[in-house]
Amino acid sequence: GGRAEAEGPSRDTAMLRHLLLKLRATGPVTVAEYMREALTNPGQGYYTRRGGIGESGDFVTSPEISQVFGELIGIWYISEWIATGKPKAFQLVELGPGRGTLTDDILRVFNQLASLLSKCDVSIHLVEVSPKLSETQALMLTGGKVQSNPEDKSAYMKGISKTGIPIFWYRDVQDVPPGYSFYLAHEFFDALPIHKFQRTEKGWREVLVDIDPEVPDQLRFVLSPSSTPATENFIQPEERRDHVEVCPEAGVIIQRLACRIEKDGGAALIADYGHDGTKTDTFRGFRNHKLHDVLSAPGTADLTADVDFSYLRKMTQGRTATLGPIKQREFLKNMGIDLRLQVLLQNSLDSAIHQQLLHSYDMLMNPEKMGDCFNFFALLPRHRLERPDKKRKPESKSALPPVAGFGELLVQ
Ligand code: SAH
C-alpha cells in the first residue's frame, strides 16, 4: 500500500486534528464514537478515503484470496432457495461489499445456473457507506455504467451487472425494499463501532478515548470516572469477564434482519472472525498488513474488533433460528471445497496455476491461517429448522432438507 504515503503527510493528520479539536471542546469520547469517526467520517474516514482491501492495501479478505470462496457461498444461497420451494423472486443483499469481488463471484455462479434460475427474478442490493468503495464495486460489477440518484428507488445508485441483473446501492439496510431476501455480511460486523468496558473495584467503567496530557497531539485510553448509561445498559448482570466489548450497531442490524426474515423469508449468512461471548480485548488496527496502534494516525488504518456471535444470537430475539458459529474450514469443507479444488486442478496443466490454487486453499482452510479464526453464522426462518407439529409426528422432521454447510449438531 504505497497509496497513502503518496498522498502526503497532511492526510495522515487531518483526522487526528479533527479529533483533537473535538476532544478539547467536549472531553473524552467512547471507543465507539472514536471508531465511527476513524472509519466512516464522511470527510476523512478510513473506508471513505482509503478502504485498502486486497494485496496492495491494508488487509486481505477471503473473497480476495480465491474465487472458490464466493462460488461456494453462491451455491449456499441457491441451496436455500431450492429448499424453500424456489420462490419466484429473491434479492441478494450484501452489507459492506468492499471491492465487490464476493458478489461478482456469486453472480458468476447464478449465471452458470441460469437455466435453474430462469423463472426467478433476481436483484442485487448493496449496502455501502463509502463513496470510494461503491465506485470500485460499480466498476467491478457493471463495468462502471451506473446511474446516480435514480428517482424511482430509495437507492443512491443503480446499474446492471455484466450478466444482466439489476444492482442497487444504499447507505442503510433499512432502505432496501422488503421481500424474500438473502443477506450476506462478510467482514462487515467487525468494522462496526464497539463500546469497551472494564471491571474495576468500584464496578463497571466504560473505556474512553482522551488526549494524553503528557505527549502533545497523542491520544490515550482512560476510564469513565463513574458508570455511564452504556455500562448500565450493555453489561449483563451475570457477566464473568473483566473486560467486555459490545457492538450495539451490530445488534440493531441483526434485529432488522431477523424481523425481515421472519416476515418475508430468506436467510442471512454472516462470516467474520469472532467468538461466542468469551473473548475480552480484541480491538486492533491494520495498516499495510501489519498490526497498527489503534490510537495512532486515526483514519489511515482499518480498525476492527472480533464479532460476538452470542450477542448476535441474542439480538435475533428468537424471531429466527440461528446456526453456528462454525469454523470457516468446516463450513467450506461441508460446502464441497475439496471437490471444487480437484476440478479446478484438473482443468489446468499450468503449474503456476496449480500452485496458486493450492496456496489459496491453504490460506482459507489452514487452522493457523483463516480456517479456524473465521466463522460462519446463519439466520433462518424458524420453520426452516423446526416443524410446528414435530411433537405429534417426530418422524416428519426428516422431511426437512438439511441446511448446507452446517453440521446437524450445531442447530441452536
Ligand atoms: N466484504 C468485503 C469488505 C469488508 S471491509 C470483503 O470481505 O472483502 C468492510 C466493508 O463495510 C467496507 O466495504 C466498508 O466500506 C463497509 N462499511 C463499514 N461500515 C459500514 C456501515 N456502517 N454501513 C455500511 N457499510 C459499511
Side-chain angles (χ1 to χ4, degrees):
R3 239 180 316 149
E5 281 71 31
E7 283 162 357
S10 62
R11 181 165 280 187
D12 278 16
T13 52
M15 169 63 77
L16 182 61
R17 277 205 308 275
H18 160 77
L19 280 164
L20 289 168
L21 278 175
K22 182 170 169 150
L23 292 168
R24 277 190 198 110
T26 61
V29 295
T30 62
V31 172
E33 172 126 30
Y34 172 75
M35 206 173 159
R36 187 189 327 279
E37 284 289 323
L39 290 183
T40 56
N41 174 291
Q44 301 292 339
Y46 172 79
Y47 285 117
T48 324
R49 303 208 81 145
R50 189 163 148 112
I53 307 158
E55 239 164 87
S56 65
D58 301 299
F59 59 103
V60 178
T61 60
S62 294
E64 302 297 330
I65 289 170
S66 167
Q67 64 175 76
V68 175
F69 186 81
E71 289 169 357
L72 295 176
I73 289 179
I75 290 167
W76 191 86
Y77 288 118
I78 296 291
S79 151
E80 273 312 295
W81 176 71
I82 294 172
T84 51
K86 301 187 187 168
K88 276 199 281 298
F90 72 77
Q91 314 190 117
L92 175 67
V93 184
E94 186 178 3
L95 311 180
R99 302 183 57 232
T101 313
L102 187 49
T103 285
D104 198 45
D105 291 336
I106 293 173
L107 281 175
R108 202 175 45 251
V109 169
F110 288 178
N111 197 48
Q112 280 157 3
L113 300 175
S115 57
L116 185 65
L117 287 168
S118 65
K119 289 197 191 80
C120 183
D121 185 6
V122 180
S123 56
I124 305 291
H125 304 263
L126 305 177
V127 179
E128 176 58 73
V129 280
S130 161
K132 184 170 169 176
L133 284 172
S134 66
E135 254 176 59
T136 309
Q137 293 150 19
L139 211 55
M140 167 88 71
L141 297 167
T142 72
K145 288 190 291 293
V146 284
Q147 181 192 346
S148 291
N149 304 312
E151 322 79 43
D152 56 322
K153 289 274 177 185
S154 52
Y156 67 79
M157 192 162 80
K158 75 173 182 186
I160 300 207
S161 83
K162 293 171 285 187
T163 53
I165 289 175
I167 310 185
F168 303 91
W169 278 264
Y170 314 81
R171 287 186 190 85
D172 195 304
V173 68
Q174 260 184 307
D175 300 332
V176 178
Y180 184 101
S181 300
F182 291 129
Y183 299 91
L184 174 59
H186 184 264
E187 285 213 44
F188 170 74
F189 283 102
D190 71 270
L192 298 181
I194 51 153
H195 288 267
K196 281 171 90 68
F197 302 96
Q198 178 67 44
R199 194 194 292 276
T200 72
E201 277 164 14
K202 291 180 234 126
W204 286 97
R205 295 290 182 264
E206 180 157 10
V207 179
L208 305 173
V209 175
D210 197 5
I211 303 174
D212 192 331
E214 317 261 285
V215 193
D217 294 355
Q218 188 160 309
L219 303 174
R220 62 163 184 175
F221 288 119
V222 293
L223 290 184
S224 61
S226 54
S227 69
T228 61
T231 50
E232 309 285 312
N233 289 323
F234 296 135
I235 303 287
Q236 304 302 310
E238 67 274 15
E239 183 58 61
R240 309 279 299 268
R241 290 168 288 176
D242 288 335
H243 188 99
V244 172
E245 295 170 341
V246 182
C247 184
E249 218 167 289
V252 168
I253 293 174
I254 282 292
Q255 263 179 337
R256 288 204 181 115
L257 299 190
C259 285
R260 280 170 170 248
I261 292 169
E262 182 184 38
K263 194 162 163 285
D264 300 323
L269 196 56
I270 293 155
D272 225 309
Y273 37 77
H275 57 90
D276 221 355
T278 54
K279 285 202 186 172
T280 54
D281 180 15
T282 71
F283 186 36
R284 58 205 186 283
F286 283 99
R287 183 169 157 171
N288 297 332
H289 304 273
K290 288 196 198 78
L291 276 171
H292 176 91
D293 177 357
V294 289
L295 293 184
S296 96
T300 69
D302 183 35
L303 300 182
T304 161
D306 277 21
V307 173
D308 179 349
F309 290 103
S310 71
Y311 178 69
L312 301 192
R313 189 183 300 116
K314 196 176 120 213
M315 294 312 279
T316 63
Q317 297 168 312
R319 290 178 196 280
T320 62
T322 65
L323 287 172
I326 176 177
K327 288 176 176 141
Q328 169 158 308
R329 68 184 160 87
E330 290 168 17
F331 179 84
L332 295 178
K333 192 147 238 152
N334 294 342
M335 289 305 299
I337 190 169
D338 292 320
L339 193 64
R340 184 71 188 128
L341 175 72
Q342 290 311 320
V343 170
L344 289 173
L345 286 172
Q346 277 158 25
N347 282 351
S348 166
L349 293 170
D350 185 333
S351 74
I353 290 182
H354 276 212
Q355 257 176 15
Q356 207 279 326
L357 286 168
L358 292 168
H359 173 74
S360 56
Y361 176 91
D362 184 60
M363 285 286 284
L364 296 181
M365 298 292 284
N366 189 327
E368 248 113 68
K369 292 172 183 165
M370 296 165 112
D372 264 6
C373 55
F374 280 85
N375 297 276
F376 278 76
F377 180 75
L379 309 189
L380 296 153
R382 299 191 66 95
H383 59 78
R384 177 70 182 84
L385 296 178
E386 49 190 61
R387 285 228 187 280
D389 60 347
K390 77 173 168 202
K391 280 209 187 77
R392 273 181 290 127
K393 284 190 285 174
E395 70 280 10
S396 69
K397 195 171 178 269
S398 60
L400 284 170
V403 178
F406 293 88
E408 272 286 324
L409 288 175
L410 285 141
V411 176
Q412 295 281 337

